[in-house]
Amino acid sequence: MTILLLKGLCKEYQLRQQRVQALVDVGLAVEEGSFVTIVGKSGCGKTTLLRIIAGLEGRSSGEIILTPSDARIGMVFQEPRLMPWLMVEQNMALAMPSGGNHKKTRETVEHYLEILGLTPFRHAYPAQISGGMAQRVALGRALCFNSDIILMDEPLGALDAFTRRNLQQELLHIFQEHKKTVLFVTHDVDEALIMGQRVLVMDCGRIIQDYPIPFLHSRTVGSEAFFLLRENLLQAITGDSH
C-alpha cells in the first residue's frame, strides 16, 4: 500500500530579488514499510523535501497525500535537538501525548530504552552522554511518537565512522522489527546503498533517478554488484559518465 504520495510538489522562494526553485515538480510514491534513501549534492532539495513532508515548511504548489490521512510523521535531524534540562527518558517521553495514559507512556519509553540500549543511561542528561547515544534518544523520541513515517535528515552525519556503522545496524534492526516507513537523507553513497531498499538521486530540486536495490539486508559492501550500483549512483550525482 502507498502510504505517502507526492504529486507535482514545488517550492520556490525569493533570495535578494532572485527567485529560487528549491523543489520542481517532485512526484513520489512511497510504499508502507519501505526504507527509502535520498542522495544528492548539497543544495539539491533533500532537506527541503523532508521539511515540507513533515509540515515544517510550506509548499508553493502540489499535493501531499497520506494513507491513512492521519498517518503520524516523526523527524530525526542531524543534531539530536534534545532538551538539555531533561533526562534521557524524559526527552523520549516528550513525544507522548500530555495528559495521556501514564502507564502506557512509561511502558512505551521502557520498551524503546531497552531496544536502543539506553536503559543504563535513562537518568542521564544530554551533556552526560555521547553523540551516538544522543542520536539514539532522538530516534527513540520518534519511535515513542509511534510514527508511521520516520523522516531522517542526515542523522548519522556528525558521528565517527565506528559509531555510525553501529547505528546503521541498529536502525536497520528497528526497521525490520517494527516495519516503519523511513525516508533517510544522506550525503554518503555507501550508506544510502547499505540502508535503502530504494535510492533516490536528487539534483536541482528534482528526483532524477530512482534505483531499486536488489539486495537483502545485510549487504556485502565489497561485492561486484554493490560496486556497480555505487558507480551508477556516483555518476548520477556528479553527472560524470566516465
Side-chain angles (χ1 to χ4, degrees):
M1 181 183 79
T2 298
I3 190 171
L4 172 67
L5 181 63
L6 309 180
K7 293 183 176 181
L9 201 64
C10 296
K11 173 68 176 181
E12 61 179 50
Y13 56 90
Q14 291 291 127
L15 181 63
R16 294 183 180 178
Q17 310 290 319
Q18 183 178 2
R19 190 176 70 174
V20 176
Q21 290 190 303
L23 294 179
V24 183
D25 196 28
V26 173
L28 176 65
V30 178
E31 296 303 304
E32 184 177 20
S34 62
F35 199 121
V36 179
T37 52
I38 306 172
V39 295
K41 298 174 184 175
S42 295
C44 70
K46 304 185 299 295
T47 293
T48 299
L49 180 63
L50 291 198
R51 288 180 61 83
I52 289 174
I53 294 170
L56 299 176
E57 212 171 301
R59 60 189 183 272
S60 300
S61 60
E63 293 183 79
I64 300 175
I65 301 169
L66 295 171
T67 306
S69 58
D70 60 349
R72 290 172 170 247
I73 298 177
M75 189 157 181
V76 181
F77 301 90
Q78 185 171 359
E79 310 84 21
R81 302 193 182 186
L82 305 180
M83 303 303 167
W85 59 88
L86 297 179
M87 293 182 290
V88 163
E89 63 180 6
Q90 293 170 323
N91 266 287
M92 287 172 60
L94 272 179
M96 305 290 287
S98 58
N101 185 318
H102 294 296
K103 182 173 182 290
K104 182 179 179 182
T105 296
R106 187 171 62 253
E107 289 174 349
T108 301
V109 172
E110 292 274 357
H111 176 66
Y112 288 115
L113 281 169
E114 181 66 28
I115 284 176
L116 292 165
L118 291 168
T119 302
F121 306 95
R122 62 188 306 157
H123 296 134
Y125 290 93
Q128 298 173 316
I129 59 177
S130 68
M133 286 182 188
Q135 280 298 65
R136 290 184 200 173
V137 179
L139 175 60
R141 185 171 53 195
L143 291 168
C144 284
F145 183 57
N146 194 24
S147 307
D148 300 295
I149 303 171
I150 301 178
L151 309 176
M152 310 189 81
D153 188 12
E154 296 193 70
L156 312 182
L159 304 177
D160 63 83
F162 180 77
T163 303
R164 187 169 188 157
R165 180 62 176 160
N166 283 343
L167 276 182
Q168 285 173 355
Q169 296 308 309
E170 288 182 21
L171 281 171
L172 287 175
H173 176 73
I174 290 168
F175 163 72
Q176 291 164 342
E177 288 292 315
H178 296 269
K179 310 300 181 186
K180 298 294 185 182
T181 304
V182 180
L183 270 69
F184 186 102
V185 162
T186 177
H187 274 106
D188 189 318
V189 170
D190 284 352
E191 183 168 76
L193 288 170
I194 289 168
M195 306 288 283
Q197 297 173 320
R198 175 184 176 193
V199 181
L200 308 178
V201 180
M202 291 191 69
D203 187 39
C204 298
R206 301 175 186 271
I207 295 173
I208 60 169
Q209 296 285 350
D210 185 345
Y211 290 93
I213 305 302
F215 312 129
L216 298 174
H217 298 115
S218 304
R219 295 168 184 169
T220 305
V221 177
S223 70
E224 182 179 355
F226 188 97
F227 176 79
L228 288 173
L229 261 177
R230 184 178 187 276
E231 288 300 298
N232 287 338
L233 273 176
L234 285 170
Q235 287 175 13
I237 293 168
T238 63
D240 183 2
S241 59
H242 300 289

